[in-house]
Amino acid sequence: MEALPTSAPITFEEVGTERGLDFRLEHHPTISKNLIETMGGGCAFLDYNRDGLLDIYLVNGARILSSEKRLAKTGPRYWNRLFRGDATGNFVDVTESAGVRGSGYGLGVAVGDYDNDGFPDIFVTNYGFNELFRNQGDGTFVEVGREAGVTAGAWSTSAAFFDFDRDGDLDLYVARYVNWSFDHNPHCGRPSLREYCAPSAYKGVPDLLFRNNGDGTFNDVSEAMGIRSRGKGLGVAVEDYDRDGWIDIFVANDGVPCFLFRNQQGRGFEEVGLLSGAALNQHGMPFAGMGVDFADVNHDGWPDIFVTALSLEGYVFFRNMGNGGFLDISTRTGIMRASYRLTGWGTKLVDFNNDGQRDILVVNGHFNDNVAQMVRMLGTVSYPQPLLLLQNRGASFVDVSDHAGPVFSEKWIARGAAFGDYNNDGRIDVLVTHLGGRPLLLENRSYIKNFHWIGLDLMGTTGNSESVGALVTVTDNSGKSQYYRVSRAGSYLSSNDKRLIVGLGQDRLDRVEVTWPSGRKRQWSDLTMNTFHTLKEPDSNDEAAN
Amino acid sequence: MMKRRTDGCIPVIGQALCWLTWAFLATALWSADENALNEDLGEKIRKRVAAQGFERVEEELNLALKADGPGREIIESLAHFYLMGKSPDRVVLLASRIADDAEGLALRLASILARGGFRKQADELLVLFLSRRRGFSWNLTSYRATLFNQAGRHDRAIALLKDTPRALANEPRRHYLMGIAYRGLGRPATALDHIRTALELESHPDYVFTQGLLLLSLDRPGQADHVFRQGRERFPQSAQLHFGHARVYSAVGDFYRAKALLKRAVELEPGHGKSHTFLARMFYLVGDWDSFPAAIAKAIELEPTYYLACYYYGQLLLMNGGDGHQEKALEFFRRSVRSNRNFTAGYIASGQIMADQGSWKEALDYYRRAAETGSQGHRVHYLMAQAYRALGQVEEAERSLKKTGLILP
């Protein structure tokens, strides 16, 4: 299928350096091929100072001292970085003053207001221990991981804040990967060509679920809640796949079946990945699940799942059949064909041109830096790889990468990706990290003049302040409804803007209905289009009824 | 020594098809015989029937039989005519019309029947013919053994081959057919002994090819590589040996060399449908979507009923999308399993389309048939579980899942 431009083309321009993102992802590759070197790092869009402008957090690696078997952030080049967005659209490095440079070999980041003070906090996953930076509301953060009880151990990757028990505060799910260590770092590949090992060389490590106690601390309730299986987790996304009002968890596992944890009304989780058909690809095979998103693509109200994979596997698109099951339809939707040679990480199902259809962007790059020398891959797979943009055409997705801007014609060793409208123009932009390089800030320049949109920022009153978990139904004047969930989770090691931008195409807005995690609902039918609105959770059911 | 992947398979879709080495072997070995058949007469008869009608052609053929006697052309025309009318038993009866010394004609009629899917009747015809004449015929016996092997009746093939005169003990084709039969019975080591004996008696590309693929199936890709390398040196113009060697590289994941060998195979023999099919498959495995469509289109043109060509052509249709693409793809997946009833991937692909359309009962039927092929391990049970769950049979679904062995600790 040839990639064709459309009447509503999606285009991006890379503006990271020009906007002041002075950062380099230091993954510190070595001849020892320590697996962590090729797996980081994440990034986040957040508004930490609540000035209405998105800020950026970038996770960094550390120096790898193989002989000493330790990892150390030995200088500023290895610091994680916080960039404050200013009114001119530029970013200013505030890492030192904010106190968020981190101290481990960083992998991922999850953002959430866990203490419900209205200011988003930052959770950083590292190899060995995790950090939680509590936002003090004055532009500074304090690291409270140990006191909060979320440092965990082993190798954490992606994480997600969400309220699994609907008690009003944000709980935390942490995916964990494999039992790699300096002492367990086998030689893979030919004697003369050492490669990073595939995950099959290691054992998986069980993921963790932390329940928020509401007092600034968490309890590890993984075992009690049924999070027991040893996967090889890399990506996490949350949604209510069976529409029972309780948020479920999907974990993209690398090389072993993916997990779908069905939330049993906050009392526990049942792993139903295999039973529901969301564990293996269309060939019934485990695949290298990495980045993931969980959202309703076909407007039937049932959230679908998109998962990236390794080159020569093809990315996986699980259609939610609405009967508790999923079916991988990546071949007939054009996804398999477009993605087959790529190794994908950060991703999200986003309506980039506001035509009312969610598109897919994936950032790519193989995990082995010497893949081009591997005989079987000759001429087929490269280490740096282009970004992939798939435009939703209803029944299928079309690869429009070639028409999406010069940045799409270059190749990157990309990993993390966060999605958010940094310049508040109603078009969702993309932040991308790539190994050994500066981050890319893809400013969305899609022509949307003929298309309408509405931006929504939800505020919780009885539940979590960010309304994470709220279901938003946007209905246009043709009667078509779109379903969005407030969540920062998804992608790979990254955290997204919590605000929603819903494209309406040429239709006009009829109404917006929000169901908060508390169960309260409210409908608006007088919102103006093409701007942002803050929607507040009603204080009582009476108000909701009004 | 070449290193085979630890799972013995090729990745992704190829993994699904790794078991096909033997399914392929079972069908590929007779291609030379079948390609030799002259289809002109059959085509002529079809045209005559289309132009003149069935009854008129029958009348003319019977008149010719009376006037000219049972000549080769008349007999063969009648065979084609009867098969058009789905009357294989009448073809069998033509055996009585064949002159005792017209062994070639008997073979030809048997071939016509076999190609029409009437192997049993083909064998009956040969038995009838043999019963009328005295003496032993190695040609007819070996063809009967071939038919038994094709029909999966390997015991019968072995019995027949063992019951040959002592003078034929060193007949290389006898050992070759024994090898095929033993492999069909799941005794690859014995099969290999026979093929080696055949090769000691006669160096023939068919035997080299079979030996190489046998070694591959025994998880000895290094030896298979050596056999094909030597074979290609001796028979440098053999497309079949280039093809076989490509299979070895493909199995060890060296798609680069496999592709080069397959390209050479189709240069050497542009009509070698299986090489085109595997070349298309190679393009598919490495995601070369520019080359895949033309290669698989050529393959399906050359071998419209070859199950792998049908399968990958179905995949192309599915990928291309468009109106009714699922139905069109389904038609080819169905054709693939009609052509090879043990082709698990064809059933699975058919089932997936049914499931996508919400026809879970039909999907389950396909998955069950896939399970009956006895291969693919956890895949089929996983898919069956989805179908059972969708049909509300949760206990059955859980039972199927347990069979996958994939439930993690």
Side-chain angles (χ1 to χ4, degrees), chain A residues 47-48 50 111-122 134-135 137 161-163 166-171 212 214 456-470 486-488 497-499 514 516-518 533-539:
Chain A
D47 182 9
Y48 79 95
R50 289 176 44 181
V111 174
D113 180 15
Y114 81 96
D115 54 0
N116 248 344
D117 65 353
F119 289 89
D121 309 293
I122 301 172
R134 183 165 61 77
N135 189 334
F161 280 109
F162 74 117
D163 183 6
R166 288 173 49 182
D167 64 351
D169 48 34
L170 290 179
D171 309 298
N212 191 331
L456 303 170
D457 191 9
L458 272 62
M459 282 182 62
T461 54
T462 57
N464 71 84
S465 71
E466 298 187 321
S467 297
V468 169
V486 177
S487 170
R488 293 180 183 273
D497 184 3
K498 78 179 181 72
R499 297 175 303 170
V514 180
W516 270 269
S518 62
H533 298 269
T534 299
L535 306 182
K536 194 177 163 197
E537 181 181 15
D539 288 330

Side-chain angles (χ1 to χ4, degrees), chain A residues 39-50:
Chain A
M39 302 302 287
C43 56
F45 273 127
L46 73 164
D47 182 9
Y48 79 95
N49 55 357
R50 289 176 44 181

Side-chain angles (χ1 to χ4, degrees), chain A residues 229-230 274-277 279-280 282-285 312 319 321 323 325 327 332 337 340-341 375-376 380, chain B residues 11-13 15 253-254 256 284-289 320 326 352 355-356 378-379 382 386 389 401 406 409:
Chain A
S229 303
R230 284 175 182 269
L274 287 165
L275 188 62
S276 68
L280 308 177
Q282 62 182 319
H283 310 297
M285 302 299 295
L312 308 188
R319 174 183 158 212
M321 307 293 280
N323 59 1
L327 190 71
R332 79 158 164 87
R337 177 181 179 141
Y340 192 73
R341 287 186 175 205
V375 173
R376 64 186 287 260
T380 59
Chain B
V12 200
I13 186 79
Q15 202 157 12
D254 188 344
Y256 188 74
Y284 184 98
L285 289 176
V286 300
D288 183 349
W289 309 126
N320 283 346
Q326 282 190 320
Q352 295 281 73
D356 196 10
H378 69 266
R379 301 178 58 207
Y382 171 73
Q386 314 313 319
R389 185 200 42 72
L401 278 185
L406 279 174

Side-chain angles (χ1 to χ4, degrees), chain A residues 27-28 30 32 34 36-37 61-75 78 103-106 127-129 180-183 185:
Chain A
H27 60 124
H28 200 191
T30 67
S32 303
N34 303 294
I36 50 168
E37 298 164 10
R63 191 159 174 218
I64 297 177
L65 303 156
S66 297
S67 55
E68 299 171 37
K69 297 182 180 176
R70 72 185 179 94
L71 306 156
K73 276 192 178 342
T74 51
Y78 296 108
S103 56
Y105 192 103
Y127 175 81
F129 65 96
W180 172 88
S181 71
F182 285 112
D183 293 324
N185 185 35

Side-chain angles (χ1 to χ4, degrees), chain A residues 150-214:
Chain A
V150 292
T151 50
W155 180 345
S156 301
T157 54
S158 292
F161 280 109
F162 74 117
D163 183 6
F164 83 84
D165 51 5
R166 288 173 49 182
D167 64 351
D169 48 34
L170 290 179
D171 309 298
L172 179 63
Y173 188 92
V174 182
R176 296 198 296 179
Y177 193 39
V178 295
N179 68 339
W180 172 88
S181 71
F182 285 112
D183 293 324
H184 181 36
N185 185 35
H187 182 111
C188 294
R190 301 199 299 270
S192 59
L193 188 71
R194 188 167 189 178
E195 304 165 9
Y196 291 109
C197 294
S200 54
Y202 308 99
K203 282 184 182 163
V205 179
D207 298 343
L208 298 171
L209 177 67
F210 294 100
R211 190 206 301 268
N212 191 331
N213 298 320

Side-chain angles (χ1 to χ4, degrees), chain A residues 66 69 96 131 210 272 335 352 435 459 496 498 510:
Chain A
S66 297
K69 297 182 180 176
E96 276 201 274
E131 294 169 288
F210 294 100
V272 295
I335 290 171
F352 287 109
L435 295 181
M459 282 182 62
N496 307 297
K498 78 179 181 72
D510 182 68

